[in-house]
C-alpha cells in the first residue's frame, strides 16, 4: 500500500471510530502530508520521535503567538512592561515542555483505545496486540 493510501485509510478508520480529524491528524501532520512528507500518524510514532516533534511544534507555536501578541502590543499605547527576549524564551520552553509531555501520553492512549498496533501493519481494520 502506498503511503498516501495508507494515510487515507487511517483517516477513514479514525472517522469511522468517531475521532475528530484534528485529534487524529493534527495540523502539523496535515501540512507535512500535503508537502509530500509522509510521517506516520501520531498514534503510531514512538515516544522519542513524538517527544521531539511535539517539542519543536510547541516551540514554534510559542514563537508565532509571541510574535502576534508582540505586534499587537507594539500597535497599542504602552500600558506596561515591554516584551522581552527572556519572555520569548521562557514561553517557548514552557510550551515546548508541556507539549513534549502531553502529546505522547495522549496519542499512546489513543492508540491503545482504538487497537492501533504498528504503522507498517495497519490496513484500516481493527488490530489488537
Amino acid at each position: 500500500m502506498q503511503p498516501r493510501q495508507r494515510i487515507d485509510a487511517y483517516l477513514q478508520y479514525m472517522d469511522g471510530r468517531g475521532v475528530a480529524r484534528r485529534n487524529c491528524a493534527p495540523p502539523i501532520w496535515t501540512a507535512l502530508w500535503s508537502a509530500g512528507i509522509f510521517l506516520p500518524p501520531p498514534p503510531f510514532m514512538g515516544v522519542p520521535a513524538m517527544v521531539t516533534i511535539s517539542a519543536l511544534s510547541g516551540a514554534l507555536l510559542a514563537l508565532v503567538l509571541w510574535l502576534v501578541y508582540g505586534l499587537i502590543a507594539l500597535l497599542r499605547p504602552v500600558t506596561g512592561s515591554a516584551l522581552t527576549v527572556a519572555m520569548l524564551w521562557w514561553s517557548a520552553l514552557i510550551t515546548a515542555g508541556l507539549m513534549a509531555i502531553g502529546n505522547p501520553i495522549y496519542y499512546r492512549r489513543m492508540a491503545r483505545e482504538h487497537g492501533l498496533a504498528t504503522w507498517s501493519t495497519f490496513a484500516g481494520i481493527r488490530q489488537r496486540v
Side-chain angles (χ1 to χ4, degrees):
M1 187 181 291
Q2 296 295 324
R4 187 70 216 169
Q5 293 171 335
R6 185 171 282 165
I7 288 169
D8 291 338
Y10 163 73
L11 293 175
Q12 285 180 342
Y13 176 76
M14 294 307 274
D15 285 341
R17 303 284 300 163
V19 179
R21 180 69 58 109
R22 287 186 182 153
N23 291 345
C24 64
I28 190 84
W29 264 265
T30 306
L32 289 172
W33 293 337
S34 297
I37 301 170
F38 297 110
L39 286 177
F44 294 103
M45 294 192 80
V47 173
M50 190 64 199
V51 166
T52 303
I53 291 174
S54 296
L56 291 175
S57 63
L60 180 64
L61 174 66
L63 293 174
V64 168
L65 290 176
W66 191 81
L67 288 173
V68 168
Y69 290 127
L71 290 174
I72 291 171
L74 287 176
L75 296 175
R76 295 182 65 196
V78 177
T79 57
S81 63
L83 297 173
T84 64
V85 175
M87 290 169 60
L88 163 69
W89 291 113
W90 278 108
S91 64
L93 285 174
I94 291 170
T95 306
L98 290 174
M99 287 184 73
I101 293 169
N103 281 348
I105 293 169
Y106 176 76
Y107 285 114
R108 290 309 318 151
R109 184 173 160 245
M110 178 188 287
R112 208 173 26 254
E113 282 180 4
H114 297 292
L116 302 172
T118 63
W119 183 239
S120 60
T121 61
F122 181 76
I125 57 175
R126 185 172 178 84
Q127 302 173 14
R128 276 283 176 198
V129 179

